[in-house]
Amino acid sequence: MVRAIRGAIQVEANDRDAILSGVTELVTEVMGRNRLTTDEVISVIFTATPDLTAEFPALAARKLGFHDVPLICASEIDVPGALPRVVRLMAHVDTDRPRHEIQHVYLRGAVALRVDIAQ
């Protein structure tokens, strides 16, 4: 069965190390909380707010071992007043877990984006 897992993190700055560190934290939490291996990940879509341009978020996943997982990065739409410096992800995974057992992960300031589903 295919499930989608959402997640987001607010990073400190438009800085390569800050982006890679934040995305590493986010991906690690998503994988850990959902007890996943990279073999179960079908694909991951990363988006970043327009103020984050110093690095591709997918590079952090590659460094974590997502070598044969299709990854793509895109820019979020520039909505006035939106939370700045946010990287989001949507991971598609192959799992037998029912939808109610999937844990969506919102970290740091990004918790405010989805208080309804953030653990």
Side-chain angles (χ1 to χ4, degrees):
M1 190 174 336
V2 177
R3 297 284 184 213
I5 302 173
R6 291 285 314 272
I9 190 164
Q10 187 177 39
V11 298
E12 303 86 33
N14 183 28
D15 172 81
R16 182 178 193 270
D17 290 338
I19 293 168
L20 292 177
S21 174
V23 175
T24 297
E25 180 182 348
L26 176 61
V27 171
T28 300
E29 282 293 314
V30 167
M31 298 296 286
R33 290 186 194 183
N34 289 286
R35 299 178 313 279
L36 295 168
T37 67
T38 56
D39 286 340
E40 296 166 299
V41 180
I42 297 166
S43 64
V44 184
I45 300 167
F46 291 95
T47 65
T49 50
D51 53 358
L52 294 178
T53 58
E55 187 55 84
F56 292 105
L59 179 59
R62 291 275 181 245
K63 289 178 178 237
L64 287 171
F66 285 64
H67 302 295
D68 60 353
V69 176
L71 307 173
I72 193 166
C73 298
S75 181
E76 283 286 332
I77 58 173
D78 194 8
V79 175
L83 191 64
R85 301 178 323 279
V86 175
V87 176
R88 292 171 173 86
L89 70 74
M90 184 181 312
H92 301 96
V93 301
D94 181 10
T95 181
D96 291 331
R97 289 185 196 90
R99 186 173 288 166
H100 71 272
E101 287 184 15
I102 297 298
Q103 292 197 31
H104 305 282
V105 178
Y106 290 80
L107 302 174
R108 302 184 193 168
V111 169
L113 296 172
R114 291 298 304 265
V115 176
D116 58 324
I117 62 172
Q119 272 87 34

